Amino acid sequence: MQQPDFIFESSWEVCNKVGGIYAVLSTRAASMQKKWKDHVIFVGPDFGKHSDLFFKEDPSLWSLFPDSPIHQLTNSPTPRIGRWQVPGKPIAILLRWDALYEKKNDIYGWAWEQFGVKSHAAYGDYDDSCLFGYAAGQMVEAIAKTLYKANPKLKIVAHSNEWQTAFMLFYLRSFCPKVRTLFTTHATGIGRSIAGNGKPLYDYFEGYHGDQMADELGMVSKHSVEKQAAYFADCFTTVSDITARECAQLLDKPVDIVTPNGFEQGFVPKGKTYTEKRQTARKALKQIAEKTLREPIEEDACFICISGRQEWKNKGIDVFLDSIRRLGSKRLNTASAKHIVAFVLVPYLEQPFIRLGKTSIIFVPYYLDGSHPTFKLTYYDVLLGMDLSIFPSYYEPWGYTPLESVAMGVPTITTSLSGFGDWYNRIFNSQACIVHCQSLTPVTVVHRTDSNYSQVIVDIVQTIENFLTLTPKQVAALRKEATAVGKQADWTHFFPYYEQAYHIALTKKRP
């Protein structure tokens, strides 16, 4: 199986913590660094001080590419090189793209003529994303040509994640075609938009046509970039079987291979450190709950959470809130009930605090990077203090949040519409919606469709009620089982799919 000598991987979320793709790349970096050392170079946008939260600049690393005309690139200022501060500490190059704005029309005209990309309907973040991708292509070309000059037989691949970096793929295909390209869509833009606009994605799935829906939903340019990148990439991948079906239907292009998202066990504390971090997190959660609710919270209170982007329906925030409300209503007349505090860890989502007897909901509307004066812990540290997590997604190509949860030893509830839930059912031969069983499993997969909203809430409430009946010994055993599930989704199991993807890219015959 052919493997590359150098890998350039670009994403809008390199050293830029936005969502699940950051988790995918930052946890996969250690496996890549272990195999390729400093022949793996991540490429991301330069957001100055924000990027520096995750990036340590080291200009001496330019010496690895001594003859590359980096300073002659049209994007200004000069790209910064350093190390991404995640396990493995891979090389990262951060770019600005401001100077390309004066050439925007020429670039879009070229993209239309060469690749059929329809930039005429662009709006929002389209310009920044595409020009960043173009700048990334220039940077990779500059370094690759130097490497080829020293050794013409080198095998180099460039990997674009999501439509935001697809212009890197287009640029290299035109100006440095010796570099082989990969494109991964972590969720099709049209699928996400159909779901987010309240249309029934699943009941009428086979009736949707991607180009038609792009026109209807104002997604023409972004959809065009994604679709053409899928066609022109030497290897086209996505993260789950669920999204692979989307690609075939909405992009008219089957994927070459599914590359599931794994997790890096280096993020999980061990032994005494794990216990101490969990105690610290529970103490912090208890203090915040007491200050917010203005009443004492018992030591054995049950802490539940949901997290993710502010996508009310897609991420199942609506189902989560309705489930906690239903649970609270059922427990109103139970004076001795254990206090349940549900944390909504969703940036920018602010709502009144909600209380029903001894069931309360607290909104945490900011990123948990450890810098906030109220929550001085990172998201992973906070997650360690939870007893149960709930991610009742409607649209979730993979579902990194439930995977992170079980990896941290926290039992979770997800749905059959998430890639992770689908994977769990297949791997562990589980049946969806097992809540009526007396013994819980570390991952409860609730069956969800376009038309069973109420039943999903019933099933989630039943699962929580079952969890509350467990003894401390049973909870400890369940947490141990959750950790075991997380290890089954470690990158050591999933990274071979990427190695196959590199082989496909390197051996594909182009027209």
Side-chain angles (χ1 to χ4, degrees):
M1 185 163 62
Q2 291 197 32
Q3 291 296 282
D5 299 301
F6 281 85
I7 301 170
F8 292 88
E9 182 158 4
S10 182
S11 169
W12 195 252
E13 298 192 35
V14 169
C15 302
N16 178 34
K17 197 168 188 176
V18 177
I21 299 176
Y22 180 93
V24 174
L25 273 60
S26 64
T27 63
R28 176 157 46 80
S31 296
M32 299 178 72
Q33 189 74 0
K34 184 177 180 180
K35 181 169 182 175
W36 282 281
K37 307 301 182 186
D38 283 346
H39 286 199
V40 175
I41 300 98
F42 286 93
V43 185
D46 190 350
F47 291 118
K49 291 183 179 179
H50 174 74
S51 298
D52 290 341
L53 293 172
F54 318 99
F55 172 76
K56 186 175 182 180
E57 189 170 5
D58 182 1
S60 69
L61 291 172
W62 285 125
S63 63
L64 297 174
F65 321 109
D67 299 321
S68 298
I70 299 297
H71 298 278
Q72 298 176 23
L73 298 181
T74 56
N75 45 299
S76 180
T78 301
R80 294 195 294 155
I81 192 170
R83 294 195 180 273
W84 194 354
Q85 299 302 292
V86 295
K89 294 189 176 179
I91 293 176
I93 298 177
L94 304 185
L95 308 170
R96 291 298 305 173
W97 56 93
D98 311 67
L100 291 174
Y101 262 91
E102 63 185 30
K103 300 181 179 180
K104 182 182 72 172
N105 291 337
D106 292 335
I107 292 172
Y108 288 168
W110 157 82
W112 163 249
E113 292 174 355
Q114 298 296 317
F115 301 100
V117 175
K118 303 174 183 177
S119 300
H120 64 278
Y123 64 92
D125 58 349
Y126 184 87
D127 290 342
D128 281 340
S129 298
C130 293
L131 296 181
F132 160 68
Y134 192 90
Q138 290 182 317
M139 191 279 302
V140 173
E141 176 197 29
I143 294 178
K145 286 187 173 179
T146 296
L147 296 173
Y148 285 136
K149 186 177 180 180
N151 183 356
K153 295 183 179 181
L154 283 177
K155 297 186 289 290
I156 302 176
V157 299
H159 188 172
S160 298
N161 288 277
E162 292 286 77
W163 70 267
Q164 287 96 332
T165 60
F167 265 61
M168 179 179 78
L169 183 158
F170 300 142
Y171 182 94
L172 293 171
R173 189 67 182 257
S174 283
F175 302 114
C176 194
K178 195 172 180 180
V179 173
R180 289 304 181 117
T181 59
L182 299 92
F183 175 63
T184 297
T185 180
H186 295 257
T188 68
I190 291 300
R192 187 188 298 278
S193 187
I194 290 172
N197 279 278
K199 295 180 179 294
L201 176 61
Y202 306 101
D203 285 352
Y204 302 99
F205 181 72
E206 294 181 356
Y208 286 118
H209 187 269
D211 293 348
Q212 177 185 343
M213 294 308 298
D215 186 61
E216 179 180 331
L217 298 171
M219 291 278 295
V220 170
S221 292
K222 294 178 181 179
H223 171 68
S224 176
V225 169
E226 184 176 36
K227 183 175 181 178
Q228 299 310 101
Y231 271 96
F232 283 98
D234 293 308
C235 181
F236 174 41
T237 84
T238 194
V239 297
S240 68
D241 291 339
I242 288 177
T243 318
R245 292 192 289 271
E246 257 184 66
C247 293
Q249 179 68 27
L250 301 178
L251 299 180
D252 298 322
K253 177 64 169 67
V255 299
D256 295 302
I257 187 173
V258 172
T259 51
N261 291 331
F263 194 75
E264 169 56 50
Q265 290 297 313
F267 282 83
V268 183
K270 302 293 189 296
K272 183 180 178 181
T273 303
Y274 182 97
T275 302
E276 292 174 348
K277 280 181 170 288
R278 175 163 166 77
Q279 291 173 346
T280 299
R282 288 193 64 81
K283 182 179 179 180
L285 291 169
K286 182 175 180 294
Q287 290 177 343
I288 288 169
E290 288 177 335
K291 290 180 180 178
T292 304
L293 302 174
R294 298 181 181 178
E295 66 174 275
I297 299 295
E298 303 91 333
E299 292 291 337
D300 66 343
C302 181
F303 296 144
I304 299 174
C305 75
I306 185 174
S307 63
R309 286 189 301 274
Q310 188 186 153
E311 296 181 19
W312 194 261
K313 178 182 178 181
N314 287 355
K315 296 297 181 183
I317 299 171
D318 51 357
V319 174
F320 177 86
L321 294 177
D322 286 345
S323 297
I324 301 301
R325 290 190 186 102
R326 174 78 64 87
L327 180 68
S329 297
K330 292 181 68 176
R331 303 172 76 243
L332 272 177
N333 298 321
T334 309
S336 62
K338 179 185 294 188
H339 207 132
I340 294 177
V341 183
F343 292 88
V344 182
L345 309 175
V346 179
Y348 312 121
L349 179 62
E350 298 188 58
Q351 299 284 323
F353 297 130
I354 300 171
R355 183 189 305 183
L356 287 168
K358 298 189 77 173
T359 303
S360 306
I361 303 175
I362 296 177
F363 289 83
V364 183
Y366 38 78
Y367 282 103
L368 296 177
D369 58 11
S371 64
H372 196 276
T374 302
F375 263 100
K376 297 181 180 179
L377 302 175
T378 66
Y379 173 68
Y380 285 163
D381 287 336
V382 170
L383 187 57
L384 287 170
M386 297 296 170
D387 297 296
L388 185 68
S389 63
I390 305 175
F391 306 101
S393 304
Y394 172 78
Y395 181 81
E396 193 67 81
W398 175 246
Y400 225 92
T401 43
L403 171 52
E404 291 169 327
S405 183
V406 293
M408 295 293 174
V410 179
T412 192
I413 303 172
T414 187
T415 73
S416 57
L417 295 182
S418 75
F420 176 75
D422 181 63
W423 170 83
Y424 180 83
N425 277 341
R426 287 187 289 105
I427 296 300
F428 293 90
N429 296 316
S430 173
Q431 293 183 348
C433 195
I434 54 173
V435 295
H436 302 297
C437 299
Q438 290 186 353
S439 60
L440 292 178
T441 58
V443 179
T444 299
V445 183
V446 175
H447 181 62
R448 187 169 186 189
T449 68
D450 275 314
S451 53
N452 73 335
Y453 187 94
S454 296
Q455 185 60 47
V456 170
I457 291 173
V458 170
D459 292 339
I460 290 174
V461 170
Q462 182 65 61
T463 304
I464 299 173
E465 290 177 332
N466 288 352
F467 180 81
L468 293 173
T469 66
L470 299 179
T471 66
K473 185 176 180 180
Q474 289 173 319
V475 170
L478 194 63
R479 292 180 68 88
K480 187 175 181 180
E481 290 179 30
T483 302
V485 171
K487 290 180 179 178
Q488 288 298 309
D490 185 81
W491 276 117
T492 56
H493 299 290
F494 287 168
F495 194 72
Y497 293 104
Y498 279 85
E499 294 174 320
Q500 292 178 44
Y502 299 143
H503 173 77
I504 292 170
L506 289 167
T507 58
K508 182 178 181 179
K509 294 183 178 180
R510 291 176 174 174

